[in-house]
Amino acid sequence: MRNSLPPVPTKLPEIEVVAATRRGIPRAVLVAPAEAEEGAAYGSSGRTAEVREMPEDGDGPRWVAGIGEGAPKDFRKTGAALARSFREAAENRPIRTVQVVLPEDATAEHAAELAVGLSLGGYRFVVTTTEPKPPVPAVRVVVAHDRAVPAYADAVARVRVLAAAAAFTRDLANTPSNIKNPAWLANTASKVLGGTVDVTVRDEKWLADKGFGGVLAVGGGSASPPRLIEMSHRPRGATKHLLFVGKGITFDTGGLSLKPADGMHLMRTDMAGGAAVIAAMRAIGELKLPVRVTALVPAAENHVSGGSYRPGDIVRHYGGKTTEIGNTDAEGRMVMADALAYGIAQFKPDLIVDAATLTGAMKVSLGLRTGGVFATDDDLAARVIEAGARAGEAWWRMPLVEDYATGVEGELGDVRQAPGGPGGIMAALFLREFTAGLPWAHLDIAGPARADKAYDDVVPGASGFAARTLVEFAASYLS
């Protein structure tokens, strides 16, 4: 019987940069509103991401796509819309290759952003035993001059690694949790990243020996024991050492503080922060960035059984700090606390960035397309936001309000896990207790990690958010 799970990681469509069109291959042309007004746009308005399929009449284009104002982000959106159109066309009649003709004034950045959209806009993850639908065809991106091909091809090749990181993040987060338990996540990371970066998987016995009380408490209710995934990129001569930590809750019932049934099925994506960290490490290794990066993903399933941890418990984390449990559905911060404390003590990084689908409060604060940044350092916060802008991911800095810090102080233990108050801020303040005063940024991606409809290069399901930002953030330390 054929395995019904799609291949992980997803294979992206091939994209080649060339200097001339080829007869017999369906062609798409990109037009701006000004061309539409001049009557040269085949009935298109030229609006961003508007795609018109034309009658097949000899030498004319098969598709006409608008690029709006012609900004790089317009090219990304239009590339995604074209990818969806190419997929639909391939489902009706097999198409192996298409070609997209760039305007003469398009830069290498425009070509790169178009390639991001073409790579991700047609993404699909379906678990089925029926014959899979045809993939997005290979794409020839046609530039105006022969001499431009090498520079444009280099730009496209780099963003293709970033697009693959986003797609791999989607793959991991979309995988259903009857397949994706902590061991599966760890084994998949080891298999896919092996040879690119060093990967070590720590099992439940090792976690118990080392005192990972938070991870063991959260994972204690499940028949699938927890794991810690360690990844390391150590290039020679690197002077900066970054620590990434990603939440890896492979399914979250809420534990004894049980979640409502509505929406619980989406909790297969509650490890989207961990998925982003895993995928980012793969990209960092492939790009051979000359910066040292260590990454940790504590993976556990928050389930309900006689082994579940309880409200009122006192949990001892790695390093000895204790936490009073108030709500077992605040499990992400419990596993993250262990990983932060361990990563700092074991690897002595210069700074820390963590990523997690941590609080529903962030969905209320920033909606579903913007990630929240909590940071103890202004430069660190600015680097994250600027990295996101380069990656096409939106971030907004949130306050670490010191007046609320006393709320996480414990009575029976060192700290309280769920003290009440503004949810996103309190969760961040809790995590800060485990950062040893190092420069630290916490990325809460509870909103943008999932999408219920297509937009830009995102499709419904896991969005892949944060993976590209983490890669661009690491790359920001090259200069």
Side-chain angles (χ1 to χ4, degrees), residues 80-134:
L82 278 170
R84 294 172 190 126
S85 295
F86 296 159
R87 181 184 284 281
E88 290 175 6
E91 289 172 2
N92 295 326
R93 191 178 70 184
I95 301 175
R96 295 182 59 185
T97 306
V98 296
Q99 47 195 349
V100 180
V101 182
L102 291 181
E104 288 195 8
D105 60 350
T107 66
E109 183 182 8
H110 290 121
E113 292 300 307
L114 178 75
V116 171
L118 290 168
S119 298
L120 293 175
Y123 175 91
R124 176 185 287 151
F125 187 98
V126 180
V127 181
T128 177
T129 55
T130 62
E131 193 66 30
K133 293 183 178 180

Side-chain angles (χ1 to χ4, degrees), residues 15 26 127 333 451:
I15 299 179
V127 181
R333 66 198 72 179

Side-chain angles (χ1 to χ4, degrees), residues 102-453:
L102 291 181
E104 288 195 8
D105 60 350
T107 66
E109 183 182 8
H110 290 121
E113 292 300 307
L114 178 75
V116 171
L118 290 168
S119 298
L120 293 175
Y123 175 91
R124 176 185 287 151
F125 187 98
V126 180
V127 181
T128 177
T129 55
T130 62
E131 193 66 30
K133 293 183 178 180
V136 174
V139 182
R140 305 173 82 243
V141 175
V142 184
V143 300
H145 307 288
D146 282 331
R147 64 181 181 274
V149 169
Y152 284 51
D154 286 347
V156 167
R158 183 181 185 278
V159 300
R160 292 268 294 160
V161 175
L162 298 178
F168 186 32
T169 304
R170 295 177 185 180
D171 293 338
L172 294 175
N174 281 328
T175 298
S177 296
N178 59 319
I179 295 169
K180 177 183 60 191
N181 60 20
W184 182 93
L185 183 63
N187 292 340
T188 300
S190 184
K191 179 180 68 175
V192 175
L193 273 63
T196 304
V197 300
D198 294 329
V199 182
T200 302
V201 177
R202 309 294 192 181
D203 64 13
E204 69 274 24
K205 183 179 184 303
W206 184 94
L207 292 168
D209 290 343
K210 298 297 182 181
F212 279 67
V215 176
L216 293 167
V218 172
S222 174
S224 300
R227 295 287 185 270
L228 178 69
I229 307 166
E230 290 185 19
M231 295 155 282
S232 179
H233 172 67
R234 302 183 63 174
R236 291 182 180 178
T239 58
K240 202 74 172 179
H241 184 189
L242 318 181
L243 174 65
F244 290 165
V245 177
K247 173 185 170 184
I249 300 299
T250 58
F251 193 78
D252 182 20
T253 66
L256 295 181
S257 304
L258 193 66
K259 290 179 179 292
D262 290 347
M264 193 191 288
H265 64 287
L266 297 174
M267 290 301 101
R268 65 181 179 272
T269 67
D270 206 24
M271 36 60 68
V277 166
I278 292 169
M281 288 299 291
R282 180 184 182 221
I284 288 166
E286 289 182 350
L287 293 171
K288 296 180 170 59
L289 299 183
V291 59
R292 183 181 175 188
V293 186
T294 301
L296 301 172
V297 175
E301 185 175 73
N302 190 23
H303 223 301
V304 181
S305 77
S308 297
Y309 77 131
R310 296 156 289 250
D313 283 358
I314 306 294
V315 171
R316 187 177 300 277
H317 294 279
Y318 180 92
K321 186 169 289 189
T322 57
T323 291
E324 300 174 21
I325 305 304
N327 184 335
T328 64
D329 194 23
E331 83 298 328
R333 66 198 72 179
M334 296 297 294
V335 302
M336 300 277 282
D338 276 349
L340 288 167
Y342 169 73
I344 292 166
Q346 182 71 18
F347 301 107
K348 298 176 173 53
D350 297 310
L351 58 91
I352 312 151
V353 178
D354 74 63
T357 52
L358 206 63
T359 65
M362 293 307 299
K363 297 166 69 174
V364 177
S365 300
L366 297 176
L368 303 181
R369 300 190 185 183
T370 303
V373 180
F374 297 85
T376 57
D377 181 270
D378 291 342
D379 175 69
L380 189 52
R383 281 181 183 264
V384 170
I385 293 168
E386 290 164 7
R390 292 192 297 275
E393 296 178 333
W395 298 91
W396 190 263
R397 190 173 184 183
M398 300 294 289
L400 281 167
V401 182
E402 287 300 327
D403 287 348
Y404 297 147
T406 56
V408 299
E409 294 176 1
E411 296 177 358
L412 300 178
D414 294 315
V415 289
R416 292 197 294 167
Q417 167 229 33
I425 296 172
M426 300 310 293
L429 289 170
F430 175 88
L431 290 178
R432 190 180 66 171
E433 294 292 317
F434 297 86
T435 59
L438 289 176
W440 161 74
H442 161 55
L443 313 184
D444 194 330
I445 62 171
R450 295 179 284 269
D452 57 3
K453 61 183 178 181

Side-chain angles (χ1 to χ4, degrees), residues 48-51 71-85 113-123 166 170 368-370 388-389 391-394 448 451 453-460 463 465 468:
T48 302
E50 179 191 79
V51 179
K73 65 180 181 180
D74 295 313
F75 277 74
R76 185 194 306 122
K77 292 178 182 179
T78 297
L82 278 170
R84 294 172 190 126
S85 295
E113 292 300 307
L114 178 75
V116 171
L118 290 168
S119 298
L120 293 175
Y123 175 91
R170 295 177 185 180
L368 303 181
R369 300 190 185 183
T370 303
E393 296 178 333
K453 61 183 178 181
Y455 67 89
D456 297 349
D457 56 44
V458 174
V459 299
S463 68
F465 192 86
R468 285 174 283 178

